[in-house]
Coordinates of all heavy atoms in Angstrom, one line a residue:
M1070 N 106.5 115.3 98.3 CA 105.7 114.9 97.3 C 104.2 115.4 97.6 O 103.9 115.6 98.7 CB 105.7 113.4 97.3 CG 105.7 112.9 95.9 SD 105.9 111.1 95.7 CE 107.7 111.0 95.8
S1071 N 103.4 115.5 96.6 CA 102.1 116.1 96.9 C 101.3 115.2 97.8 O 101.7 114.0 98.1 CB 101.3 116.2 95.5 OG 100.9 114.9 95.1
G1072 N 100.2 115.6 98.4 CA 99.4 114.9 99.2 C 98.6 113.8 98.5 O 97.9 113.0 99.1
R1073 N 98.9 113.6 97.2 CA 98.2 112.6 96.5 C 98.8 111.2 96.7 O 98.1 110.2 96.6 CB 98.4 112.9 94.9 CG 97.9 111.9 94.1 CD 98.0 112.2 92.5 NE 97.7 111.1 91.7 CZ 97.9 111.0 90.5 NH1 98.3 112.1 89.8 NH2 97.6 110.0 89.8
F1074 N 100.0 111.2 97.0 CA 100.8 109.9 97.3 C 101.2 109.7 98.7 O 101.7 110.7 99.3 CB 102.0 109.8 96.4 CG 101.6 109.8 94.9 CD1 101.5 111.0 94.2 CD2 101.3 108.6 94.2 CE1 101.3 111.1 92.9 CE2 101.0 108.7 92.9 CZ 100.9 109.9 92.2
V1075 N 101.1 108.5 99.3 CA 101.5 108.2 100.6 C 102.3 107.0 100.5 O 102.1 106.0 99.7 CB 100.4 108.0 101.5 CG1 99.6 109.3 101.7 CG2 99.4 107.0 101.1
E1076 N 103.4 107.0 101.3 CA 104.2 105.8 101.5 C 103.6 105.0 102.6 O 103.1 105.3 103.7 CB 105.6 106.2 102.0 CG 106.5 105.0 102.1 CD 108.0 105.5 102.4 OE1 108.3 106.7 102.2 OE2 108.8 104.7 102.9
V1077 N 103.4 103.6 102.1 CA 102.7 102.6 103.1 C 103.8 101.8 103.8 O 104.5 101.1 103.2 CB 101.8 101.8 102.3 CG1 101.2 100.7 103.2 CG2 100.7 102.6 101.5
P1078 N 103.8 101.9 105.1 CA 104.7 101.0 105.8 C 104.4 99.5 105.5 O 103.3 99.1 105.8 CB 104.5 101.3 107.3 CG 103.9 102.7 107.2 CD 103.1 102.7 106.0
H1079 N 105.4 98.8 105.1 CA 105.2 97.4 104.6 C 104.6 96.5 105.9 O 103.9 95.6 105.6 CB 106.3 96.7 104.0 CG 107.5 96.4 104.9 ND1 108.4 97.5 105.3 CD2 107.8 95.3 105.5 CE1 109.3 97.0 106.1 NE2 109.0 95.7 106.2
R1080 N 104.9 96.9 107.0 CA 104.6 96.1 108.2 C 103.1 96.2 108.5 O 102.5 95.4 109.3 CB 105.4 96.5 109.4 CG 106.8 96.1 109.4 CD 107.5 96.3 110.6 NE 108.9 95.8 110.7 CZ 109.9 96.5 110.4 NH1 109.8 97.8 110.3 NH2 111.1 96.0 110.5
L1081 N 102.4 97.2 107.9 CA 101.0 97.4 108.1 C 100.1 96.6 107.2 O 98.9 96.4 107.4 CB 100.6 98.8 107.9 CG 101.3 99.9 109.0 CD1 100.7 101.2 108.6 CD2 100.9 99.5 110.3
L1082 N 100.8 95.9 106.2 CA 100.1 95.1 105.2 C 99.9 93.7 105.6 O 100.9 93.2 106.2 CB 100.7 95.2 103.8 CG 100.7 96.6 103.2 CD1 101.6 96.5 101.9 CD2 99.3 97.1 102.9
P1083 N 98.8 93.0 105.4 CA 98.8 91.7 105.6 C 99.8 90.9 104.7 O 100.0 91.3 103.6 CB 97.3 91.3 105.2 CG 96.5 92.6 105.2 CD 97.6 93.6 104.9
G1084 N 100.3 89.8 105.2 CA 101.3 89.1 104.4 C 100.9 88.7 103.0 O 101.6 88.8 102.1
E1085 N 99.6 88.3 102.9 CA 99.2 87.9 101.6 C 99.1 89.1 100.6 O 99.4 88.9 99.4 CB 97.8 87.3 101.7 CG 97.2 86.6 100.5 CD 95.9 85.9 100.9 OE1 95.9 84.9 101.6 OE2 94.9 86.4 100.4
T1086 N 98.7 90.2 101.2 CA 98.7 91.4 100.3 C 100.1 91.9 99.9 O 100.4 92.3 98.7 CB 97.9 92.6 101.1 OG1 96.7 92.1 101.4 CG2 97.9 93.8 100.2
L1087 N 101.0 91.9 100.9 CA 102.4 92.2 100.6 C 103.0 91.3 99.5 O 103.7 91.7 98.6 CB 103.2 92.2 101.9 CG 104.7 92.6 101.8 CD1 104.8 94.0 101.1 CD2 105.4 92.6 103.2
D1088 N 102.8 90.0 99.7 CA 103.3 89.0 98.8 C 102.8 89.3 97.4 O 103.5 89.3 96.4 CB 103.0 87.6 99.2 CG 103.8 87.1 100.3 OD1 104.8 87.8 100.8 OD2 103.5 86.1 100.8
A1089 N 101.5 89.6 97.3 CA 101.0 89.9 95.9 C 101.6 91.2 95.3 O 101.9 91.2 94.1 CB 99.5 90.1 96.0
L1090 N 101.8 92.2 96.1 CA 102.5 93.4 95.6 C 103.8 93.1 95.1 O 104.3 93.6 94.2 CB 102.5 94.5 96.7 CG 101.2 95.3 96.9 CD1 101.3 96.0 98.2 CD2 100.9 96.1 95.7
L1091 N 104.6 92.3 95.9 CA 106.0 92.0 95.6 C 106.0 91.1 94.3 O 106.9 91.3 93.4 CB 106.7 91.3 96.8 CG 106.8 92.2 98.0 CD1 107.4 91.4 99.1 CD2 107.7 93.4 97.6
E1092 N 105.0 90.2 94.2 CA 105.0 89.3 93.0 C 104.8 90.2 91.8 O 105.3 90.0 90.7 CB 104.0 88.2 93.1 CG 104.4 87.1 94.1 CD 103.3 86.1 94.4 OE1 102.3 86.2 93.7 OE2 103.5 85.3 95.3
A1093 N 103.9 91.2 91.9 CA 103.6 92.1 90.8 C 104.8 92.9 90.4 O 105.1 93.1 89.2 CB 102.4 93.0 91.0
F1094 N 105.5 93.4 91.3 CA 106.8 94.0 91.2 C 107.8 93.2 90.4 O 108.4 93.6 89.4 CB 107.4 94.5 92.5 CG 108.7 95.3 92.4 CD1 108.8 96.5 92.0 CD2 109.9 94.6 92.6 CE1 109.9 97.2 91.8 CE2 111.1 95.3 92.5 CZ 111.1 96.6 92.2
V1095 N 108.1 91.9 90.8 CA 108.9 91.0 90.1 C 108.5 90.9 88.7 O 109.4 90.9 87.8 CB 108.9 89.6 90.9 CG1 109.6 88.6 90.0 CG2 109.5 89.7 92.2
T1096 N 107.2 90.7 88.4 CA 106.7 90.5 87.0 C 106.9 91.8 86.2 O 107.4 91.7 85.1 CB 105.2 90.1 87.1 OG1 105.1 88.9 87.9 CG2 104.7 89.9 85.7
R1097 N 106.6 92.9 86.8 CA 106.7 94.1 86.1 C 108.2 94.5 85.7 O 108.5 95.0 84.7 CB 106.1 95.3 86.9 CG 106.0 96.6 86.2 CD 105.2 97.6 87.0 NE 105.9 98.0 88.2 CZ 105.5 97.6 89.5 NH1 104.4 97.0 89.7 NH2 106.1 98.0 90.5
Q1098 N 109.1 94.2 86.6 CA 110.4 94.4 86.5 C 111.2 93.5 85.5 O 112.3 93.6 85.1 CB 111.3 94.5 87.8 CG 110.8 95.6 88.7 CD 111.0 97.1 88.2 OE1 112.1 97.3 87.6 NE2 110.1 97.9 88.3
G1099 N 110.5 92.3 85.2 CA 111.0 91.3 84.4 C 112.1 90.4 85.0 O 113.0 89.9 84.3
Y1100 N 112.1 90.4 86.3 CA 113.0 89.4 87.0 C 112.8 87.9 86.5 O 111.8 87.5 86.2 CB 112.8 89.4 88.5 CG 113.1 90.7 89.2 CD1 113.5 91.9 88.5 CD2 113.2 90.8 90.6 CE1 113.9 93.0 89.1 CE2 113.5 92.0 91.3 CZ 113.8 93.1 90.5 OH 114.2 94.2 91.2
D1101 N 113.9 87.3 86.4 CA 113.9 85.9 86.0 C 113.7 85.1 87.2 O 114.6 85.0 88.1 CB 115.3 85.5 85.3 CG 115.4 84.1 84.8 OD1 114.4 83.3 85.2 OD2 116.3 83.7 84.2
T1102 N 112.6 84.5 87.3 CA 112.2 83.7 88.6 C 113.0 82.4 88.7 O 113.0 81.7 89.7 CB 110.7 83.4 88.6 OG1 110.2 82.7 87.5 CG2 110.0 84.7 88.8
T1103 N 113.8 82.1 87.7 CA 114.7 80.9 87.8 C 116.0 81.2 88.4 O 116.7 80.3 88.8 CB 114.9 80.2 86.5 OG1 115.6 81.1 85.5 CG2 113.6 79.7 85.9
D1104 N 116.2 82.5 88.6 CA 117.5 82.9 89.2 C 117.7 82.5 90.7 O 118.9 82.3 91.1 CB 117.7 84.5 89.2 CG 118.1 85.0 87.8 OD1 118.4 84.2 86.9 OD2 118.0 86.2 87.6
T1105 N 116.6 82.4 91.4 CA 116.8 82.1 92.8 C 116.9 80.6 93.2 O 117.3 80.4 94.3 CB 115.7 82.8 93.6 OG1 114.5 82.2 93.2 CG2 115.6 84.3 93.4
G1106 N 116.5 79.8 92.3 CA 116.3 78.4 92.7 C 115.0 78.1 93.4 O 114.6 77.0 93.6
E1107 N 114.4 79.1 93.9 CA 113.1 79.1 94.6 C 111.9 79.7 93.8 O 110.9 79.8 94.4 CB 113.2 79.6 96.0 CG 114.3 78.9 96.9 CD 114.4 79.7 98.2 OE1 113.4 80.1 98.7 OE2 115.5 79.8 98.7
G1108 N 112.3 80.0 92.7 CA 111.2 80.7 91.8 C 110.8 82.0 92.4 O 111.5 82.7 93.0
M1109 N 109.5 82.3 92.2 CA 108.8 83.5 92.7 C 109.0 83.7 94.1 O 109.4 84.8 94.6 CB 107.4 83.6 92.3 CG 106.7 84.8 92.7 SD 107.3 86.3 91.8 CE 106.5 86.2 90.2
R1110 N 108.9 82.7 94.9 CA 109.0 82.7 96.4 C 110.4 83.3 96.7 O 110.4 84.1 97.7 CB 108.8 81.3 96.9 CG 108.7 81.4 98.5 CD 107.4 81.9 98.9 NE 107.6 82.5 100.3 CZ 107.2 83.6 100.6 NH1 106.4 84.3 99.9 NH2 107.4 84.1 101.8
G1111 N 111.4 82.8 96.1 CA 112.8 83.4 96.3 C 112.8 84.9 96.2 O 113.5 85.5 97.0
W1112 N 112.3 85.4 95.2 CA 112.3 86.8 94.9 C 111.5 87.5 96.0 O 111.9 88.7 96.5 CB 111.8 87.1 93.5 CG 112.8 87.1 92.5 CD1 112.8 86.2 91.4 CD2 113.9 87.9 92.3 NE1 114.0 86.4 90.7 CE2 114.7 87.4 91.3 CE3 114.5 88.9 93.1 CZ2 115.9 88.0 90.8 CZ3 115.7 89.5 92.7 CH2 116.4 89.0 91.6
V1113 N 110.4 87.0 96.3 CA 109.5 87.6 97.4 C 110.3 87.7 98.7 O 110.3 88.8 99.3 CB 108.1 86.9 97.6 CG1 107.4 87.4 98.8 CG2 107.3 87.1 96.3
V1114 N 111.0 86.7 99.1 CA 111.8 86.7 100.4 C 112.9 87.8 100.1 O 113.1 88.5 101.1 CB 112.4 85.3 100.5 CG1 113.5 85.4 101.6 CG2 111.3 84.3 100.9
E1115 N 113.6 87.8 99.0 CA 114.7 88.9 98.8 C 114.1 90.2 98.9 O 114.7 91.1 99.4 CB 115.4 88.6 97.5 CG 116.3 89.7 97.2 CD 117.4 90.0 98.2 OE1 117.8 89.0 98.9 OE2 117.9 91.2 98.3
L1116 N 112.9 90.5 98.2 CA 112.3 91.8 98.2 C 111.9 92.2 99.7 O 111.9 93.4 100.0 CB 111.2 91.8 97.2 CG 111.6 91.8 95.8 CD1 110.4 91.7 94.9 CD2 112.6 92.8 95.4
R1117 N 111.4 91.2 100.5 CA 111.0 91.5 101.8 C 112.3 92.1 102.6 O 112.2 93.0 103.3 CB 110.4 90.3 102.5 CG 109.0 90.1 102.2 CD 108.4 88.8 102.9 NE 107.1 88.6 102.8 CZ 106.1 89.0 103.7 NH1 106.5 89.5 104.7 NH2 104.9 88.7 103.4
R1118 N 113.4 91.4 102.3 CA 114.7 91.9 103.0 C 114.9 93.3 102.5 O 115.4 94.1 103.3 CB 115.8 90.9 102.6 CG 115.8 89.6 103.2 CD 117.0 88.9 102.9 NE 116.9 87.4 103.3 CZ 116.9 86.5 102.5 NH1 117.2 86.6 101.1 NH2 116.7 85.2 102.8
Q1119 N 114.8 93.6 101.2 CA 115.0 95.0 100.7 C 114.1 96.0 101.4 O 114.4 97.1 101.7 CB 114.8 94.9 99.2 CG 116.0 94.3 98.5 CD 116.0 94.3 97.0 OE1 115.4 95.1 96.4 NE2 116.4 93.2 96.3
L1120 N 112.8 95.6 101.7 CA 111.9 96.5 102.3 C 112.4 96.8 103.7 O 112.4 97.9 104.2 CB 110.5 95.9 102.4 CG 109.6 95.9 101.2 CD1 108.4 95.1 101.3 CD2 109.2 97.4 100.8
E1121 N 112.9 95.7 104.4 CA 113.4 95.9 105.8 C 114.6 96.8 105.7 O 114.8 97.6 106.7 CB 113.9 94.6 106.4 CG 112.7 93.6 106.6 CD 111.8 94.0 107.8 OE1 112.4 94.8 108.7 OE2 110.7 93.7 107.8
R1122 N 115.4 96.8 104.7 CA 116.6 97.7 104.6 C 116.3 99.0 104.1 O 117.1 99.9 104.1 CB 117.7 97.0 103.8 CG 118.3 95.7 104.3 CD 119.4 95.3 103.5 NE 119.2 95.1 102.1 CZ 119.1 93.9 101.5 NH1 119.1 92.8 102.3 NH2 118.8 93.8 100.2
G1123 N 115.1 99.3 103.7 CA 114.7 100.6 103.2 C 115.0 100.8 101.7 O 115.1 102.0 101.3
E1124 N 115.3 99.8 101.0 CA 115.7 99.9 99.6 C 114.5 100.0 98.7 O 114.6 100.3 97.5 CB 116.6 98.7 99.2 CG 117.9 98.8 100.0 CD 118.7 97.5 99.8 OE1 118.3 96.6 99.0 OE2 119.8 97.4 100.5
L1125 N 113.3 99.6 99.2 CA 112.1 99.6 98.5 C 111.1 100.4 99.2 O 111.1 100.5 100.4 CB 111.5 98.1 98.2 CG 112.3 97.2 97.3 CD1 111.7 95.8 97.3 CD2 112.5 97.7 96.0
V1126 N 110.1 100.9 98.4 CA 109.1 101.8 99.0 C 107.7 101.2 98.4 O 107.6 100.9 97.3 CB 109.2 103.2 98.5 CG1 108.1 104.0 99.0 CG2 110.6 103.8 99.1
I1127 N 106.7 101.2 99.3 CA 105.4 100.9 98.8 C 104.7 102.2 98.8 O 104.5 102.9 99.8 CB 104.6 99.9 99.7 CG1 105.4 98.6 99.7 CG2 103.2 99.7 99.3 CD1 104.9 97.6 100.7
A1128 N 104.1 102.7 97.6 CA 103.4 103.9 97.5 C 102.0 103.7 97.1 O 101.7 102.9 96.1 CB 104.2 104.7 96.5
H1129 N 101.1 104.6 97.7 CA 99.7 104.4 97.3 C 99.2 105.7 96.8 O 99.6 106.7 97.3 CB 98.8 104.0 98.6 CG 97.4 103.9 98.3 ND1 96.8 102.9 97.6 CD2 96.4 104.7 98.6 CE1 95.5 103.0 97.5 NE2 95.2 104.2 98.0
D1130 N 98.6 105.6 95.6 CA 98.0 106.9 94.9 C 96.6 107.0 95.4 O 95.8 106.2 95.1 CB 98.2 106.7 93.4 CG 97.7 107.8 92.6 OD1 96.9 108.6 93.1 OD2 98.0 107.9 91.5
L1131 N 96.4 108.1 96.2 CA 95.0 108.3 96.7 C 94.0 108.6 95.6 O 92.8 108.3 95.7 CB 95.0 109.4 97.7 CG 95.9 109.1 98.9 CD1 96.0 110.4 99.8 CD2 95.2 108.0 99.8
R1132 N 94.4 109.2 94.5 CA 93.5 109.6 93.4 C 93.0 108.3 92.6 O 91.9 108.1 92.3 CB 94.1 110.5 92.4 CG 93.2 111.1 91.4 CD 93.9 112.1 90.4 NE 94.5 113.2 91.1 CZ 95.4 114.0 90.6 NH1 95.8 113.7 89.3 NH2 95.9 114.9 91.2
T1133 N 94.0 107.5 92.2 CA 93.6 106.3 91.4 C 93.4 105.0 92.4 O 93.0 104.0 91.7 CB 94.8 105.9 90.4 OG1 96.0 105.6 91.1 CG2 95.1 107.1 89.5
E1134 N 93.8 105.1 93.6 CA 93.6 104.0 94.5 C 94.4 102.8 94.1 O 93.9 101.7 94.2 CB 92.1 103.7 94.8 CG 91.4 104.8 95.3 CD 89.9 104.5 95.6 OE1 89.6 103.3 95.6 OE2 89.2 105.4 96.1
T1135 N 95.6 103.1 93.6 CA 96.5 102.0 93.3 C 97.8 102.0 94.1 O 98.1 103.0 94.6 CB 96.9 102.1 91.7 OG1 97.6 103.3 91.5 CG2 95.8 101.9 90.8
T1136 N 98.3 100.9 94.3 CA 99.5 100.7 95.2 C 100.6 100.1 94.4 O 100.4 99.1 93.7 CB 99.1 99.9 96.4 OG1 98.0 100.5 97.1 CG2 100.3 99.9 97.4
E1137 N 101.8 100.6 94.5 CA 102.9 100.1 93.7 C 104.1 100.0 94.6 O 104.3 100.6 95.6 CB 103.3 101.1 92.5 CG 102.3 101.3 91.5 CD 102.1 100.2 90.6 OE1 103.0 99.3 90.5 OE2 101.1 100.1 90.0
V1138 N 105.0 98.9 94.3 CA 106.3 98.9 95.0 C 107.3 99.5 94.0 O 107.3 99.3 92.8 CB 106.6 97.4 95.1 CG1 108.1 97.2 95.7 CG2 105.7 96.7 96.1
M1139 N 108.2 100.3 94.6 CA 109.1 101.0 93.8 C 110.5 100.9 94.5 O 110.6 100.8 95.8 CB 108.9 102.5 93.7 CG 107.7 102.8 93.0 SD 107.5 104.7 93.0 CE 105.8 104.8 92.5
T1140 N 111.6 100.9 93.8 CA 112.9 101.1 94.4 C 113.0 102.5 95.0 O 112.2 103.4 94.5 CB 114.1 100.9 93.3 OG1 114.1 101.9 92.5 CG2 114.0 99.4 92.7
L1141 N 113.9 102.7 95.9 CA 114.1 104.0 96.5 C 114.4 105.0 95.4 O 113.9 106.1 95.4 CB 115.1 104.0 97.6 CG 115.2 105.2 98.4 CD1 113.9 105.5 99.1 CD2 116.3 104.9 99.5
A1142 N 115.3 104.6 94.4 CA 115.6 105.5 93.4 C 114.4 105.9 92.4 O 114.3 107.0 92.1 CB 116.7 104.8 92.5
Q1143 N 113.6 104.9 92.2 CA 112.4 105.1 91.5 C 111.5 106.1 92.1 O 110.9 107.0 91.5 CB 111.6 103.8 91.1 CG 112.3 103.0 90.1 CD 111.5 101.6 90.1 OE1 111.1 101.0 91.1 NE2 111.5 101.0 88.9
W1144 N 111.3 105.9 93.5 CA 110.5 106.7 94.3 C 110.9 108.2 94.3 O 110.1 109.2 94.1 CB 110.4 106.2 95.8 CG 109.6 107.0 96.7 CD1 110.2 107.6 97.9 CD2 108.3 107.3 96.8 NE1 109.2 108.2 98.5 CE2 107.9 108.0 98.0 CE3 107.2 106.9 96.0 CZ2 106.7 108.4 98.3 CZ3 105.9 107.3 96.4 CH2 105.7 108.1 97.5
R1145 N 112.3 108.4 94.4 CA 112.9 109.7 94.4 C 112.7 110.4 93.0 O 112.2 111.5 92.9 CB 114.3 109.7 94.8 CG 114.4 109.4 96.3 CD 115.9 109.3 96.7 NE 116.0 109.0 98.1 CZ 117.1 108.5 98.6 NH1 118.1 108.0 97.9 NH2 117.1 108.2 99.9
R1146 N 112.9 109.6 91.9 CA 112.8 110.1 90.6 C 111.3 110.4 90.4 O 111.0 111.5 89.7 CB 113.3 109.1 89.6 CG 113.3 109.6 88.2 CD 114.0 108.6 87.3 NE 113.6 107.3 87.3 CZ 114.3 106.2 87.8 NH1 115.5 106.4 88.2 NH2 113.7 105.1 87.9
F1147 N 110.4 109.6 90.8 CA 109.0 109.9 90.6 C 108.6 111.1 91.4 O 107.8 112.0 90.8 CB 108.2 108.6 91.3 CG 106.7 108.8 91.1 CD1 106.1 108.7 90.0 CD2 106.0 109.0 92.3 CE1 104.7 108.8 89.9 CE2 104.6 109.0 92.3 CZ 103.9 108.9 91.0
G1148 N 109.1 111.4 92.5 CA 108.8 112.6 93.3 C 109.3 113.9 92.5 O 108.6 114.8 92.4
R1149 N 110.5 113.8 91.9 CA 111.0 115.0 91.1 C 110.2 115.1 89.9 O 109.9 116.3 89.6 CB 112.5 114.7 90.7 CG 113.4 114.8 91.9 CD 114.8 114.8 91.4 NE 115.3 113.6 90.7 CZ 115.7 112.5 91.2 NH1 115.9 112.4 92.5 NH2 116.1 111.4 90.5
D1150 N 109.8 114.0 89.2 CA 109.0 114.2 88.0 C 107.6 114.8 88.4 O 107.1 115.6 87.6 CB 108.8 112.8 87.3 CG 110.0 112.2 86.7 OD1 111.0 113.0 86.6 OD2 110.0 111.0 86.4
L1151 N 107.0 114.3 89.5 CA 105.7 114.8 89.8 C 105.8 116.3 90.2 O 105.0 117.2 89.9 CB 105.2 114.0 91.1 CG 103.9 114.4 91.6 CD1 102.8 114.1 90.6 CD2 103.5 113.6 92.8
A1152 N 106.9 116.7 90.9 CA 107.0 118.0 91.2 C 107.2 119.0 90.0 O 106.7 120.1 89.9 CB 108.3 118.3 92.1
D1153 N 108.0 118.4 89.0 CA 108.0 119.1 87.7 C 106.8 119.3 87.0 O 106.4 120.4 86.5 CB 109.1 118.4 86.8 CG 110.5 118.5 87.2 OD1 110.8 119.4 88.1 OD2 111.3 117.7 86.8
D1154 N 105.9 118.2 87.0 CA 104.6 118.3 86.4 C 103.7 119.3 87.0 O 102.9 120.1 86.4 CB 103.9 116.9 86.4 CG 104.5 115.9 85.5 OD1 105.3 116.3 84.6 OD2 104.2 114.7 85.6
E1155 N 103.8 119.4 88.4 CA 102.9 120.3 89.2 C 103.4 121.8 88.9 O 102.5 122.7 88.9 CB 102.9 120.0 90.7 CG 102.2 118.7 90.9 CD 102.3 118.3 92.4 OE1 103.1 118.9 93.2 OE2 101.6 117.3 92.8
E1156 N 104.6 121.9 88.7 CA 105.2 123.4 88.4 C 104.8 123.8 87.0 O 104.6 124.9 86.7 CB 106.6 123.4 88.6 CG 107.1 123.3 90.1 CD 108.6 123.3 90.2 OE1 109.3 123.5 89.2 OE2 109.0 123.1 91.3
G1157 N 104.8 122.8 86.1 CA 104.7 123.2 84.7 C 103.4 123.2 84.2 O 102.4 123.7 84.3

């Protein structure tokens, strides 16, 4: 991927920041927070597990200074789309 985007290791983020990113991901993806029985907190715990397993990626855009959580598939697709844009 271009030097514009960097993957941020989740362990480097303060817990409060990581939780906020994961909560935004849950909201953006439209997850039903009643599914876990623990509401949003249940999803955050599950997503932290997915980060540990390498199923999620935290990406920071150096140009816009925004940070997003993506599934590994989204990250790979995003990289391909970005490469196509840079070629075209």
Side-chain angles (χ1 to χ4, degrees):
M1070 222 170 280
S1071 75
R1073 176 180 167 184
F1074 297 91
V1075 293
E1076 185 174 341
V1077 178
H1079 68 279
R1080 289 190 176 101
L1081 297 181
L1082 297 173
E1085 192 173 288
T1086 302
L1087 180 58
D1088 286 353
L1090 283 170
L1091 294 175
E1092 288 173 8
F1094 179 79
V1095 167
T1096 302
R1097 190 175 61 252
Q1098 296 295 317
Y1100 289 7
D1101 183 352
T1102 56
T1103 62
D1104 282 351
T1105 65
E1107 297 176 38
M1109 180 65 79
R1110 186 78 207 134
W1112 276 114
V1113 168
V1114 168
E1115 174 56 30
L1116 293 174
R1117 279 179 176 261
R1118 287 185 196 121
Q1119 290 180 31
L1120 280 167
E1121 290 290 333
R1122 294 190 303 257
E1124 297 169 3
L1125 295 177
V1126 173
I1127 299 173
H1129 182 72
D1130 183 336
L1131 296 170
R1132 187 179 305 161
T1133 63
E1134 298 184 6
T1135 57
T1136 305
E1137 298 287 338
V1138 177
M1139 299 179 190
T1140 65
L1141 191 54
Q1143 288 170 327
W1144 176 244
R1145 289 177 178 155
R1146 186 170 52 248
F1147 180 69
R1149 285 191 301 271
D1150 292 347
L1151 184 63
D1153 289 345
D1154 287 349
E1155 290 176 351
E1156 288 176 9

